[in-house]
Amino acid sequence: MMYYGGWDTEEMFDATQWFTSGMYKPRNIEADGSASHVTMLRTQEPELTDTQISELGLAAGQAFGMSSYDELDIEPFVLSEPDLSNRYRYAYSAFAKPNQPEDYFYLYLDVLNRQFVATLSVDALHGGEISGKYIQEVHADQPADAEHIKAFTEIAEAERKARRYP
């Protein structure tokens, strides 16, 4: 049984077919080691299409616009069309509605000398447009941000190597 919809929806449905088909596996993140009833993981991590990658900046702008960071002037960032192709990571999957899975990605952004993680989603069955959902600022002194700090470090190292070895 899995929950679906936003955090305000408390209804569940039988999602057995999604796990027995081999598309998803449980995401064991509960304190007791049991599987989440909200999120799951793909057995094979999905990749974004070239079109979706080209829309990452706009999706990040969408996430900023729906956040408490909407006062930040990120227009120059979005309009500069930065190469974000190596700055996204598959995060998890969840159901928007019964039998309608969405894949969620983290997009790691350096904007205005600050680090942010945008959570983006895409329809897991049909693909299509990538949507900005949430944005959070990452702080090096916050233990909860350790996973994101590690991703930023890996991205910076890969970008440094790419500049050195064109």
Side-chain angles (χ1 to χ4, degrees):
M1 298 297 287
M2 295 287 291
Y3 288 100
Y4 63 89
W7 299 108
D8 56 342
T9 304
E10 294 190 23
E11 295 181 36
M12 298 180 90
F13 79 103
D14 183 359
T16 305
Q17 70 177 1
W18 296 97
F19 296 93
T20 57
S21 73
M23 186 171 182
Y24 292 103
K25 62 184 176 183
R27 184 176 185 217
N28 297 325
I29 60 169
E30 299 301 320
D32 64 1
S34 65
S36 170
H37 290 287
V38 177
T39 62
M40 59 210 168
L41 296 172
R42 285 279 201 119
T43 54
Q44 294 183 353
E45 288 191 15
E47 290 292 323
L48 297 177
T49 66
D50 289 343
T51 300
Q52 290 166 331
I53 290 171
S54 72
E55 296 170 351
L56 287 173
L58 294 173
Q62 182 182 31
F64 270 105
M66 296 186 305
S67 75
S68 61
Y69 301 107
D70 62 345
E71 81 286 350
L72 294 177
D73 182 14
I74 63 156
E75 187 174 341
F77 171 80
V78 173
L79 294 178
S80 71
E81 297 185 16
D83 179 8
L84 301 172
S85 60
N86 293 314
R87 291 186 154 261
Y88 75 91
R89 306 286 186 271
Y90 170 69
Y92 56 86
S93 299
F95 289 99
K97 296 179 182 173
N99 297 311
Q100 186 178 341
E102 288 184 323
D103 292 328
Y104 288 81
F105 295 85
Y106 292 136
L107 179 63
Y108 294 91
L109 304 166
D110 291 302
V111 179
L112 303 170
N113 297 315
R114 295 161 69 179
Q115 292 183 319
F116 295 91
V117 176
T119 302
L120 313 175
S121 72
V122 65
D123 183 308
L125 297 178
H126 305 103
E129 185 177 311
I130 190 160
S131 300
K133 297 291 186 182
Y134 316 103
I135 195 88
Q136 72 181 61
E137 188 166 6
V138 175
H139 300 281
D141 62 345
Q142 296 295 319
D145 288 342
E147 177 184 331
H148 296 310
I149 295 296
K150 180 180 175 189
F152 273 111
T153 302
E154 291 169 356
I155 290 166
E157 179 65 17
E159 289 176 349
R160 185 185 62 76
K161 285 180 181 177
R163 282 191 302 272
R164 191 169 18 144
Y165 303 109

